[in-house]
C-alpha cells in the first residue's frame, strides 16, 4: 500500500472521527418510558439491544422464534429497569407474523416510539452453490418482512414522532465471498430504506430513519461461521447494540460500527483494487 493511499485512508479516519465528535449528544433520559419494539431479540445483538433499552427505563416488546429464550430475556430486562418487558414469538418467513408483531406491540404499549429491525435468517457461510430457493426464503426474512413491518408501524411512529432503526451490514455496501445470499438481502435493505429516507424527508414526516452498518460482531452465530476462516477482528455485540440505541435516539441517519466499516465503504469506490485485495486476503481459503 503506497504512502498516498495511506494518507487518504488516514484522512478518511479523521473525517469519520470529526463527524462522530460533532454528532448530537445522547440523552439517556429521552428513552425513559419510550415504547420500543426490537426484533431478533432472543440472542446476539437483538438481546443486547433489549438490555440497553431496559437499562434506560424503556417499555419493550421483543420478538423472535424461540419462546423460552424470549421469556428469559424479558425477565432480565425487567431486572435491569425496563418499565415493561413483553414478548411475542414470530417467524419472519411468514406472510402474517410481521404484521402480527407490530399490532401486538402497538396494542400492548399504546403506540410505538422506536421500531428496531434486527432479525436475520440463517444462511451458510460458503461458496454459492446455486440454491435459489434458499435465497428467496432469506430475502423474505431479511428484507420483505422489514419493509412490511416498517409500513405497518409508520402510522404509530408518525403520531409519536418516532424512529425507525434498521440494522444492516457492511456486506450490504461492500460485497464479500461466501455470503452471496446474505449480501443480496442487506443490499436490498440499504437501497429500499435509503430511498424511503428521502421520501419521508420530502413529505416532512415526523419519523426519523437510521441505517446501521455493522462489521463483524462477536455473536455466537457469527463466530461459529467464521472462526478460523477470517482474519478480521470481531467487535463486542453489547458495544454495537449501544451504538445502535444511541443512533436511533439522536435521530442520526447513519451508523458505521466499528470504525473500519466507514473506511471500507469510502475506499471501495476510490481504490477498488486495494479494497478487493484486502477482502480476498482476509480469509483463509485454499481452493
Amino acid at each position: 500500500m503506497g504512502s498516498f493511499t495511506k494518507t487518504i485512508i488516514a484522512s478518511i479516519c479523521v473525517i469519520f472521527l470529526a463527524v462522530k465528535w460533532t454528532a448530537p449528544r445522547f440523552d439517556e433520559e429521552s428513552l425513559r418510558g419510550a415504547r420500543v419494539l426490537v426484533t431478533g431479540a432472543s440472542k446476539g445483538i437483538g438481546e443486547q439491544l433489549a438490555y440497553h433499552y431496559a437499562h434506560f427505563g424503556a417499555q419493550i416488546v421483543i420478538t423472535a422464534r424461540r419462546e423460552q429464550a424470549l421469556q428469559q430475556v424479558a425477565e432480565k430486562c425487567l431486572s435491569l429497569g425496563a418499565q415493561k418487558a413483553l414478548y411475542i414469538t414470530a417467524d419472519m418467513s411468514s406472510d402474517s407474523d410481521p404484521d402480527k408483531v407490530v399490532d401486538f406491540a402497538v396494542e400492548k404499549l399504546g403506540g410505538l416510539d422506536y421500531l428496531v429491525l434486527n432479525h436475520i435468517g440463517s444462511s451458510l457461510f460458503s461458496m454459492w452453490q446455486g440454491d435459489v430457493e434458499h435465497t428467496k426464503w432469506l430475502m423474505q426474512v431479511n428484507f420483505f418482512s422489514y419493509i412490511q413491518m416498517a409500513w405497518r408501524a409508520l402510522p404509530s411512529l408518525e403520531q409519536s414522532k418516532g424512529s425507525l432503526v434498521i440494522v444492516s451490514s457492511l456486506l450490504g455496501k461492500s460485497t464479500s465471498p461466501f455470503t452471496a445470499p446474505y449480501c443480496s438481502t442487506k443490499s436490498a435493505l440499504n437501497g429500499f430504506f435509503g430511498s424511503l429516507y428521502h421520501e419521508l424527508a420530502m413529505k416532512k414526516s415526523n419519523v426519523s430513519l437510521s441505517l446501521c452498518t455493522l462489521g463483524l460482531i462477536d455473536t455466537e452465530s457469527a463466530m461459529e461461521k467464521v472462526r478460523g476462516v477470517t482474519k478480521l477482528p470481531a467487535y463486542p455485540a453489547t458495544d454495537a447494540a449501544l451504538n445502535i440505541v444511541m443512533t436511533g435516539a439522536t435521530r442520526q441517519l447513519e451508523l458505521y460500527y466499528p470504525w473500519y466499516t466507514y473506511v471500507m465503504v469510502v475506499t471501495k469506490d476510490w481504490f477498488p483494487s486495494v479494497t478487493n485485495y484486502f477482502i480476498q486476503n482476509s480469509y483463509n481459503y485454499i481452493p
Side-chain angles (χ1 to χ4, degrees):
M1 186 182 297
S3 58
F4 176 72
T5 302
K6 291 180 180 178
T7 301
I8 292 296
I9 292 176
S11 300
I12 293 169
C13 290
V14 170
I15 293 170
F16 174 74
L17 291 173
V19 170
K20 294 290 285 184
W21 184 259
T22 57
R25 296 300 178 191
F26 169 59
D27 176 14
E28 63 182 63
E29 282 300 313
S30 68
L31 292 175
R32 188 166 303 280
R35 300 162 297 178
V36 184
L37 169 57
V38 181
T39 68
S42 63
K43 60 180 181 178
I45 296 170
E47 179 182 359
Q48 297 303 315
L49 284 166
Y51 295 155
H52 284 302
Y53 280 115
H55 175 74
F56 295 129
Q59 306 176 68
I60 310 166
V61 169
I62 57 175
T63 187
R65 289 180 299 172
R66 299 181 301 152
E67 182 172 7
Q68 184 175 0
L70 285 173
Q71 182 177 2
Q72 292 172 351
V73 173
E75 290 172 355
K76 185 171 180 179
C77 284
L78 289 172
S79 72
L80 289 171
Q83 293 185 14
K84 287 184 181 179
L86 307 171
Y87 66 87
I88 178 173
T89 58
D91 180 352
M92 293 303 174
S93 67
S94 159
D95 290 335
S96 59
D97 278 12
D99 286 343
K100 179 185 73 173
V101 169
V102 173
D103 291 347
F104 175 87
V106 170
E107 178 187 353
K108 296 298 183 181
L109 301 180
L112 274 180
D113 298 301
Y114 293 90
L115 172 60
V116 186
L117 297 175
N118 163 77
H119 58 277
I120 57 171
S122 178
S123 185
L124 294 176
F125 188 77
S126 63
M127 289 284 189
W128 167 243
Q129 298 294 329
D131 190 347
V132 175
E133 289 305 312
H134 169 72
T135 305
K136 289 180 179 178
W137 173 84
L138 195 66
M139 189 66 77
Q140 169 62 34
V141 176
N142 290 11
F143 174 63
F144 288 116
S145 68
Y146 274 58
I147 65 176
Q148 185 176 349
M149 294 185 77
W151 181 252
R152 193 77 166 193
L154 272 175
S156 182
L157 293 174
E158 284 281 2
Q159 291 177 8
S160 66
K161 298 183 180 179
S163 298
L164 179 58
V165 182
I166 309 300
V167 180
S168 189
S169 168
L170 175 61
L171 298 183
K173 292 179 177 286
S174 180
T175 55
S176 174
F178 313 121
T179 59
Y182 180 80
C183 281
S184 67
T185 64
K186 292 300 184 179
S187 296
L189 273 185
N190 291 338
F192 181 89
F193 285 102
S195 179
L196 182 62
Y197 163 77
H198 292 298
E199 295 180 6
L200 292 173
M202 291 168 70
K203 292 191 295 186
K204 302 189 184 305
S205 169
N206 291 323
V207 180
S208 72
L209 191 153
S210 300
L211 271 169
C212 303
T213 298
L214 304 184
L216 181 59
I217 307 301
D218 68 351
T219 62
E220 182 180 346
S221 58
M223 291 297 94
E224 285 179 357
K225 293 177 180 178
V226 305
R227 188 175 289 113
V229 179
T230 183
K231 303 170 187 176
L232 288 173
Y235 285 73
T238 184
D239 195 32
L242 179 58
N243 275 270
I244 293 167
V245 170
M246 294 168 62
T247 298
T250 53
R251 303 174 75 86
Q252 296 179 76
L253 171 59
E254 291 185 305
L255 165 68
Y256 290 91
Y257 179 88
W259 64 271
Y260 72 80
T261 57
Y262 184 76
V263 176
M264 291 286 290
V265 169
V266 173
T267 58
K268 74 181 181 68
D269 291 327
W270 291 1
F271 308 105
S273 59
V274 173
T275 305
N276 290 338
Y277 176 86
F278 174 79
I279 291 171
Q280 293 168 19
N281 286 274
S282 63
Y283 295 95
N284 299 315
Y285 174 72
I286 301 175

